[in-house]
Amino acid sequence: MDNSSGVGVIDKAALVLDALEAGPTTLAQLVVSTGLARPTVHRLALALVHHRLVSRDIQGRFVLGSRLVELASAAGEDRLIASAGPILLQLRDATGESAQLYRRQGDARVCVASAERPIGLRDTIPVGTQLSMKAGSAAQCLLAWEDHDRLLQGLQNARYTPTVLAGVRRRGWAQSLGEREAGVASVSAPVRGPSGRVIAAVSISGPIERLTRQPGRIHAEVVVNAALQLTNAVGKSAE
């Protein structure tokens, strides 16, 4: 199918943005993904950085920029976040633990929606909080289905191992015990976009004393169901 709009520079910029949907990308990877000449890709990427449609991570790789989030929010088109509120509330009430939704942004994961446990000891993570991709069950979910090169990059200095990620892919959910913060346990499951790519992770988190040392055994089913609800909501939006 011909996706050309007839406006060459817009079509080329769209190719760059489409390539960045998969995550942090080097200039060389952008050239391969878009099929454009290296000078053209470099010029377009820097122009998109100027307008905050693209950004750079700490390793200099290109990532989708914050302006895209602002535009999506302003237009009311971010079905994922719009759908997250009631689903996270249901998840919180079903488990008795704080619930969060994370998206990857470069080498960090950002909490884009949450439902806090109203009383008692809880793991409080406000919307907008940036956490490491090197620890925690949500980070495991956001990395586990990446391509080989990004998987290897993500595992550098991570507190989880390739074996752990293989288990995440096999089960369809992740758990962690004191990985991100001592005494805190969590369970997460992936949210997928219409193409099947993992675009977010749904989590619950709280003290190990309450979640136990096998939190997935207790809570994986309800967390996976919440992730499936969000996946379906995103899919309906695309239709």
Side-chain angles (χ1 to χ4, degrees):
M1 185 173 97
D2 184 8
N3 289 323
S4 173
S5 68
V7 183
V9 68
I10 297 297
D11 292 338
K12 291 172 183 176
L15 284 174
V16 172
L17 294 173
D18 287 345
L20 293 178
E21 186 181 1
T25 307
T26 64
L27 179 60
Q29 290 170 330
L30 276 180
V31 170
V32 173
S33 298
T34 62
L36 301 173
R38 186 183 182 94
T40 300
V41 173
H42 189 244
R43 184 173 66 254
L44 285 170
L46 291 182
L48 291 168
V49 167
H50 176 77
H51 290 287
R52 295 195 297 118
L53 295 168
V54 170
S55 185
R56 306 289 284 268
D57 67 12
I58 60 174
Q59 296 180 21
R61 297 172 297 181
F62 294 100
V63 296
L64 292 175
S66 59
R67 183 61 181 149
L68 292 172
V69 176
E70 295 166 4
L71 290 171
S73 177
E77 294 176 353
D78 195 337
R79 184 69 178 178
L80 176 65
I81 296 177
S83 302
I87 292 173
L88 291 182
L89 286 172
Q90 292 172 12
L91 181 58
R92 180 200 66 186
D93 293 344
T95 62
E97 303 297 342
S98 298
Q100 306 91 27
L101 179 68
Y102 293 98
R103 275 177 165 168
R104 183 172 182 176
Q105 185 174 317
D107 287 331
R109 53 186 168 103
V110 181
C111 178
V112 294
S114 69
E116 298 291 352
R117 191 173 190 265
I119 59 173
L121 187 61
R122 58 189 181 271
D123 185 32
T124 300
I125 303 174
V127 171
T129 300
Q130 292 193 10
L131 299 175
S132 173
M133 277 292 295
K134 302 299 183 181
S137 62
Q140 294 173 26
C141 283
L142 291 170
L143 182 64
W145 284 273
E146 288 281 18
D147 64 40
H148 181 70
D149 289 343
R150 290 195 174 96
L151 196 66
L152 291 180
Q153 291 172 354
L155 281 166
Q156 293 177 10
N157 302 315
R159 298 194 63 186
Y160 44 81
T161 66
T163 301
V164 167
L165 295 188
V168 173
R169 290 190 294 273
R170 184 179 67 253
R171 295 189 306 265
W173 54 268
Q175 67 177 10
S176 67
L177 299 170
E179 223 176 66
R180 172 177 60 83
E181 183 177 340
V184 174
S186 66
V187 181
S188 300
V191 178
R192 297 180 182 274
S195 68
R197 188 179 64 84
V198 174
I199 59 172
V202 173
S203 297
I204 60 164
S205 59
I208 292 175
E209 288 81 0
R210 207 164 51 228
L211 272 77
T212 78
R213 300 197 69 80
Q214 291 184 305
R217 180 176 58 83
I218 302 171
H219 297 299
E221 183 176 358
V222 68
V223 175
V224 168
N225 284 339
L228 287 174
Q229 289 181 61
L230 279 170
T231 294
N232 291 336
V234 173
K236 288 178 182 177
S237 171
E239 292 173 3

